[in-house]
Amino acid sequence: MLNLERLRTLDALARHGSVSAAADGLHVTTSAVSQQLAKLEREVGQQLLAKNGRGVRLTDAGQLLADHAARILSQVELAQSDIEAQRGQVVGEVRIGAFPTAARGLFPSAISELRRSHPDLRVQSLELEPERGIREVFRGDLDLAVVLDWSNKRLPVPGGLTQAHLLDDVPDVAMPLDHPLAGRPAVDLEEFADDEWVSWPEGEFCHDWLVFTLRSKGFEPRITHLAGEHHTQLALIAAGLGVCVAPRLGRGPVPDGVALVPVRQHMRRHVYAVWRTDADRRPSIRAAADALRRAAGDS
């Protein structure tokens, strides 16, 4: 009989593409992954892996078994969901992640509500960027992730994931109080073509969105400062070092010396929760999604 944990290891290798990445996803050592795969090869009596440069690749037999492993693991998750749904109790553990402003703006209220309403449910949370959140939910490393995209730049969501809208977040432009546009009721982004910009770090979804959006307005942005935390970005603005887009979700206190002006163009961050469709009936998933909706309504 095939061992379920060894199938899970093969599935992780197929999804992640390397032994080291599979080990990270499973939270085990690379040696443990290699041992499990060697045992699985002995169980099936066929070579599942072949060397590929410094790494490995799946053989035809390995890919065939990995495809079956993905379906088997999905059925196991469906069985767990059905058992939880039949029991009807919100118990066990749920692992949730969110991009930083959503973690700051939604998690305190949502997790506190879950703790009060469902004391037998253990909640683990972490901050992570939207694209990583999608990957970790798809791989099963997270149960639910709060992610975002923009009205003019969507985030690809693979099949097999359920989406639930939480809120639309309206951003402003943050600028020093002495900026010539600080007293305006609304601004257009192209009015900042000559300004220095403060942005999220390169490679993050929101940084790519900012560059894409400003280029679509007809100018190449001069991005001189990169900061992942919005509080850091606003501190740089207060020091007179540029302008930035400042979403309202999770914003918190605005430092002295910063003016916030709405953007005239329609510009929204769509914030939503995603989870695996085959876990859709788990009461813990439903409870977490409902708590996040209520927190979003209060934000």
Side-chain angles (χ1 to χ4, degrees), residues 104 231 234 247-255 260:
R104 185 164 60 245
H231 289 166
L234 292 176
R248 298 177 185 178
L249 176 63
R251 179 184 289 166
V254 177
L260 296 166

Side-chain angles (χ1 to χ4, degrees), residues 45-76:
Q46 293 199 60
Q47 184 179 358
L48 302 177
L49 304 176
K51 287 188 176 181
N52 184 31
R54 292 187 175 182
V56 295
R57 61 173 177 81
L58 293 175
T59 64
D60 290 344
Q63 187 60 61
L64 178 64
L65 186 56
D67 291 342
H68 280 291
R71 290 192 290 271
I72 291 167
L73 293 170
S74 178
Q75 286 298 314
V76 169

